[in-house]
Amino acid sequence: MDQMSPDNINGVILAVSSSIFIGSSFIIKKKGLKKAGASGVRAGEGGYGYLKEPWWWAGMITMIVGEVANFAAYAFAPAILVTPLGALSIIFSAVLAHFILQEKLHMFGILGCILCVVGSTTIVLHAPHEQKIESVKQIWQLAIEPGFLVYSAVIVVVVAILIFYYEPRYGKTHMIVYVGICSLMGSLTVMSVKAVAIAIKLTFSGTNQFKYFNTWIFILVVATCCLLQINYLNKALDTFNTAVISPVYYVMFTTFTIIASMIMFKDWASQSGLKIATELCGFVTILSGTFLLHKTKDMGNSASGSGRGSVSMPTRDTPVFTNSGSGRSSSSDKVAS
């Protein structure tokens, strides 16, 4: 294993700090969403009453602080190193949800969180070094290569289908719809965020990058994608269990971000087959942990709800990534019962 460069170390420190703030923000925002839903139309039903809730704004500020740290991390380290560290936000979010929101975690859920961290650590320890970028125009050339243009076009088409066809029909019952929109757009966001972060870094170093129109296009993409992500992430948080949203969002977001980075920045071009295989094994470990966390998400609530000395029966199995009735019951849950 090669020694980590100073830039990569700075990126890791910033990414870890980011995960702490972002993981906490999920819980703070959901408290605001639940308070708003108790006195008005829920975000999952299209309401915007949460904008009047101080708790939601506190969570939003916490998330912004985390995103700023994450933004800075991409200026120093490759996406394939920074993004997997988002697993730490799963731990903070799940643990806080357990104690604050009473969304109980089963022991296998805790094991799932541990697997996510182990897998992320494996990826980090074998991640490639950041390539040297001297101008935002260099990133622009990478962005307009045929491979990344095709990837971007596919993402936009799939997101449009999810928003206009699947979200009205299945958004309230299948978490994959909301999280899919956020994750797909998130991969494009990260590529643009990295470009803007490098532009700022180079500008502070004495080479103004904001005189190029390319920088402003990247900024426009970041703003557009972030607005979409915030909207659909709010709907996901208001409708589904936070302890499940966090890891599933993390895995999907990380998957698409690594793919986008591999296509655009060609992160694996300079790595041996052994290192790439090790990183893939680390990612499979993360997927295993997330699956375990999801499949046992109801067991913690079931156990806590059963009486002392009684045997807790497993809850009715539900399709993967569907609403299991966390928080308030949705209309589909009432019909099913």
Side-chain angles (χ1 to χ4, degrees):
M1 181 182 67
D2 297 332
Q3 185 177 3
M4 290 184 67
S5 66
D7 276 351
N8 277 13
I9 292 175
N10 290 334
V12 168
I13 293 173
L14 288 166
V16 170
S17 302
S18 169
S19 294
I20 294 173
F21 283 105
I22 292 176
S24 302
S25 74
F26 276 103
I27 308 306
I28 300 173
K29 286 175 69 178
K30 182 150 189 177
K31 282 185 68 69
L33 289 168
K34 291 177 74 173
K35 290 188 67 177
S39 58
V41 181
R42 301 172 60 192
E45 302 288 341
Y48 294 94
Y50 59 84
L51 294 175
K52 300 178 181 179
E53 284 295 331
W55 274 105
W56 186 87
W57 283 107
M60 195 64 194
I61 293 171
T62 305
M63 176 172 279
I64 290 173
V65 172
E67 292 295 350
V68 169
N70 197 49
F71 179 91
Y74 284 110
F76 292 95
I80 200 171
L81 170 60
V82 175
T83 307
L85 285 175
L88 292 178
S89 67
I90 297 175
I91 305 304
F92 281 98
S93 181
V95 171
L96 289 176
H98 178 85
F99 289 106
I100 298 177
L101 300 180
Q102 306 305 315
E103 295 177 358
K104 301 300 182 181
L105 269 176
H106 190 267
M107 62 178 295
F108 288 118
I110 297 174
L111 177 59
C113 290
I114 294 173
L115 286 174
C116 289
V117 173
V118 171
S120 297
T121 303
T122 302
I123 294 177
V124 167
L125 293 178
H126 295 84
H129 294 296
E130 173 77 329
Q131 60 177 290
K132 188 173 181 59
I133 302 292
E134 298 180 350
S135 171
V136 73
K137 297 176 73 175
Q138 185 178 343
I139 304 177
W140 179 261
Q141 290 302 317
L142 296 173
I144 61 175
E145 288 187 357
F148 190 72
L149 287 178
V150 171
Y151 174 82
S152 300
V154 171
I155 293 298
V156 171
V157 170
V158 172
V159 168
I161 293 173
L162 287 173
I163 291 175
F164 295 108
Y165 181 81
Y166 285 99
E167 195 270 336
R169 294 169 174 80
Y170 308 109
K172 297 172 186 175
T173 56
H174 290 70
M175 182 177 64
I176 194 68
V177 176
Y178 291 143
V179 177
I181 294 171
C182 295
S183 302
L184 290 167
M185 294 306 294
S187 67
L188 298 182
T189 304
V190 169
M191 297 304 102
S192 299
V193 161
K194 186 170 180 65
V196 176
I198 291 175
I200 293 175
K201 179 183 174 183
L202 292 173
T203 298
F204 278 117
S205 299
T207 308
N208 184 16
Q209 300 296 307
F210 289 89
K211 63 183 179 181
Y212 303 121
F213 76 93
N214 316 82
T215 303
W216 296 102
I217 292 179
F218 284 127
I219 292 174
L220 179 62
V221 173
V222 170
T224 302
C225 293
C226 282
L227 288 174
L228 272 174
Q229 286 177 256
I230 290 172
N231 182 42
Y232 288 101
L233 184 57
N234 280 333
K235 292 185 176 183
L237 285 171
D238 189 52
T239 309
F240 301 95
N241 191 312
T242 308
V244 181
I245 294 173
S246 299
V248 173
Y249 175 52
Y250 163 75
V251 168
M252 293 186 65
F253 173 73
T254 303
T255 300
F256 289 113
T257 298
I258 289 176
I259 292 172
S261 184
M262 181 179 63
I263 295 173
M264 182 171 172
F265 290 98
K266 302 174 178 62
D267 290 327
W268 285 346
S270 61
Q271 289 195 294
S272 65
L274 179 60
K275 284 192 173 183
I276 294 175
T278 303
E279 291 170 21
L280 289 175
C281 288
F283 192 64
V284 171
T285 303
I286 298 174
L287 291 176
S288 302
T290 304
F291 177 79
L292 183 61
L293 180 58
H294 170 73
K295 295 303 290 182
T296 60
K297 70 180 185 299
D298 293 326
M299 294 173 65
N301 291 327
S302 173
S304 63
S306 60
R308 190 179 250 184
S310 63
V311 179
S312 63
M313 299 298 293
T315 58
R316 178 182 58 190
D317 193 19
T318 56
V320 177
F321 306 141
T322 59
N323 188 356
S324 59
S326 61
R328 290 171 56 183
S329 298
S330 65
S331 58
S332 61
D333 292 328
K334 295 176 182 177
V335 172
S337 62

